[in-house]
Amino acid sequence: MPRFSIIVPVFKVQGFLRECIDSVLGQSYPDFEVIAVDDRSPDGCGAILDEYAERDARVRVLHLPENVGLGRARNAGLEHARGDYVLFLDSDDFYTPGLLAAVADRLKSAEDPDILVFDHVRTHWWGRGGPSDASTLLAAAGQDVFSLRESPEYVHLFLVAWNKAYRRAFFQEHGLQYAPGLYEDAPVTYRSMVLAESIACLNRIGVEYRQRRQGAITKTPGRRHFDIFPQYEGLFAFLEEREDLAWARPLLFERALDHMLFVIAREDRVTAADRPDFYREMRSFHRRHCPEGFIPPDGERGTEMRLLATSPYASFAALRGARGLRRIAGAGKRRTVGRASSAARQAGYAALSRLPLDPHLAVYSASHHAGVHGDPAAIHAKARELAPHIRGVWVVREDAVDSLPDGLDHVTPGSRRYHALMARATYWVNNVNWPGTLAKRPGSIHVQTHQGTPLKYMGADLLDRPGARHGFSVPKMLHRADRWDLSLVANRHSELVWERAYPCHFTSLRTGSPRNDALVAPSAEHAAAVRARLGVPHGNKVVLYAPTRREYRRGGHVDRIDLARFAADLGAGHTLVVRLHPSLATGTARGLGLADLHARGVLIDATDEPHVEDVMLASDVLVTDYSALMFDYANLDRPIVIHADDWGAYAASRGAYFDITAEAPGHVSCSYRELAWLFTSGTWRDEESAGLRAAFRERFCEFDDGRAAERVVRTVMLGEELAQPAPSPLLPSPATERAHSMR
């Protein structure tokens, strides 16, 4: 008997079906069966399913003699299920890597609950969307097991079949069946949730829920959307038979009305001509099933529910029309007020800019005001030591203030003090551009530290990469870069790239990267303290996995590795530490498994560690794809593995200054199998790896000598003459390389 039965109803999805089935069969957890129900699909779906069944004994295909619809196709599959748990997956959606292993582990820790709920992400035809509305609830549940009566807020979880694992005996014991028609998920979801004695949550994105441009029934307007009424009538008929479930009636009545109000508001579901009839059906449902003493919720939705009890459709339509007008007017008012307040701040900034510069004032910022880290933080720390007479003030976003060290002087962007300080500061230190609204005053010194050595195209080189520069203007970016006075470089590759990518009037300083000072002369004691803080078992080898973002995917995140499988394949005595690119930290990437695996101790998520240098110091080997972290990590002279299974797509979409697979700092893997072999065989740290790393360090770490921050402070702030590190032989510029390749 398998652990899971995965029921996949199939109808007219031949373009998506292989991706769906592959996402199941490719799971690292093997103990499951797939029951694919061909709902008399008129296209090639049936043949595709038979092909899979021939290749994999875990796939069974039911060919229905007639089309019965999604709900009854699920019921047909359920009759053949043998697993302990039943999962439903729509055939145009697909599972994320590692889901079934995570579900199995969570079921075990929850002692086989009646229902396990997991998260999802909407995948639109143009790319992946953001986190679901359920993510906060799922995170709050933690490792608890509860009933809906104890925790009624969980009735707000997405009411679909495919985000749950049902204990099959529970599902069958209560005779749960899907009714024909649209909105068939709602009554089964709510009925099962109120009947379940034990519900557990898994804070992990398990399903990519495809939002099709066309062909989705729920987004086709018409009278079929009136199916919602018999679906909820069936649910409330069941509730009325069960006096022991009287507590659930007000809860589910509110959810039913909320669902109906959602549907009537959607132009892609209920046409304008059908809305009066739909509203009358809602009022009829309200009269028949409103529980005694029912109190609608606060806010707009509650107002609409009150109207249902007393008012005809004309009043409801007038309320919605008036609300729309208020929103339009409010938006216009906010824009007017915003323009006025912005103009006032700019006028004040202009007035303050006529005052003398403060020679003892420096302003710092890192990664769009995200906190205190990187090269600016290293320079600030050294300035406090060598130039204490220069007051350093950090510009930090409001949402990052709580993470600041105690006693650090800071301002938030846009505040009055911010404008006062920016108007008079002599030293400006940043690793990205300052806003275009700030003027470069004569006598001020702007230091651009950058964010490491560039592999991917930057600045003006993005002009022929429209996808990579989507959302920002290269001319405006160069206009802001015109304010730079000094550009810090760690190697001549960077010097040549920055002067090419930013054709502005700055001077390159061969200082090295200040944040890498800690890597040139690493402290064993500090590294041990970081490992302890992260929770790394004593004596374990730490494998740091640091993937970068992809420009060819909306949102930037692409799953290249099944993290749970990689952690398991590394074996005992190894700890996998994952650090996402900062731009992915607040998106869906962590919900796709990282947060869950961290919570269960499978790996360590170090994305939120404020100083990436600490994470590098705590590791024994770096696995990355195309992250600039590799250039910094090379200072440690520890093994680096490049996982480049999509190098062609990455280089084509973003552009790269050289082929990292040909000039790598260590071994290169082009598939997961190769990556796993590098570690199981010990090849990741062999002599060839050391030789590749030595050549890479010589080229890209040439100015990093542990004194970069000191060099910046002494030359820029104290005006001292300080010898720069001696370079190795000059390398050809990217432009020269490209010219030679064209001959």
Side-chain angles (χ1 to χ4, degrees), residues 22 25 65 170 232 247 274 303 401 569 572 578 593 595 611 621:
D22 286 344
L25 299 181
F170 161 79
Y232 277 108
W247 60 270
D274 286 336
T303 301
V401 167
D569 287 345
V578 179
H611 301 290
V621 54

Side-chain angles (χ1 to χ4, degrees), residues 679-691:
F679 280 90
T680 56
S681 66
T683 306
W684 62 277
R685 53 181 176 180
D686 63 8
E687 289 186 12
E688 183 182 356
S689 169

Side-chain angles (χ1 to χ4, degrees), residues 421-692:
L421 288 167
M422 303 309 286
R424 300 196 61 197
T426 294
Y427 304 101
W428 300 47
V429 183
N430 204 337
N431 61 7
V432 295
N433 265 316
W434 293 98
T437 53
L438 300 175
K440 170 75 166 73
R441 294 186 61 185
S444 65
I445 301 173
H446 288 225
V447 179
Q448 171 59 233
T449 72
H450 306 286
Q451 297 186 73
T453 293
L455 170 63
K456 60 189 178 184
Y457 276 10
M458 304 292 289
D461 288 331
L462 292 174
L463 285 171
D464 61 350
R465 291 290 191 279
R469 60 178 168 82
H470 178 72
F472 68 88
S473 164
V474 171
K476 288 182 179 179
M477 179 172 55
L478 297 181
H479 178 70
R480 291 190 292 270
D482 283 333
R483 297 173 298 189
W484 300 353
D485 293 295
L486 302 169
S487 168
L488 307 188
V489 298
N491 50 66
R492 278 173 295 169
H493 163 78
S494 297
E495 183 175 328
L496 295 168
V497 166
W498 298 138
E499 291 181 4
R500 165 196 170 86
Y502 297 97
C504 306
H505 300 288
F506 57 81
T507 299
S508 294
L509 282 188
R510 295 177 174 180
T511 56
S513 293
R515 71 178 185 276
N516 287 347
D517 289 347
L519 306 179
V520 174
S523 163
E525 294 77 12
H526 182 65
V530 175
R531 289 165 71 99
R533 187 176 76 244
L534 292 174
V536 176
H538 181 70
N540 271 22
K541 287 200 175 298
V542 174
V543 179
L544 171 59
Y545 176 52
T548 193
R549 66 178 290 115
R550 298 324 199 254
E551 271 69 23
Y552 63 76
R553 179 74 176 264
R554 183 181 173 89
H557 178 70
V558 177
D559 294 306
R560 307 311 311 176
I561 292 176
D562 183 336
L563 296 175
R565 181 181 179 185
F566 188 37
D569 287 345
L570 287 173
H574 294 79
T575 297
L576 178 61
V577 174
V578 179
R579 185 178 178 89
L580 297 177
H581 189 277
S583 66
L584 304 175
T586 57
T588 60
R590 297 166 99 166
L592 287 162
L594 183 55
D596 164 58
L597 296 173
H598 174 82
R600 293 193 283 121
V602 175
L603 51 73
I604 294 172
D605 177 7
T607 302
D608 291 333
E609 281 292 311
H611 301 290
V612 68
E613 305 85 56
D614 285 353
V615 182
M616 290 191 279
L617 283 169
S619 67
D620 296 289
V621 54
L622 170 67
V623 178
T624 187
D625 34 43
Y626 323 116
S627 171
L629 214 63
M630 71 178 85
F631 300 99
D632 305 322
Y633 196 85
N635 281 288
L636 290 168
D637 198 19
R638 298 173 189 173
I640 301 172
V641 173
I642 301 297
H643 185 57
D645 64 337
D646 65 340
W647 170 245
Y650 181 85
S653 60
R654 177 65 197 226
Y657 290 111
F658 63 94
D659 184 351
I660 191 61
T661 65
E663 302 176 71
H667 289 295
V668 177
S669 59
C670 295
S671 67
Y672 177 76
R673 182 177 181 180
E674 291 178 6
L675 176 65
W677 176 82
L678 286 173
F679 280 90
T680 56
S681 66
T683 306
W684 62 277
R685 53 181 176 180
D686 63 8
E687 289 186 12
E688 183 182 356
S689 169
L692 292 168

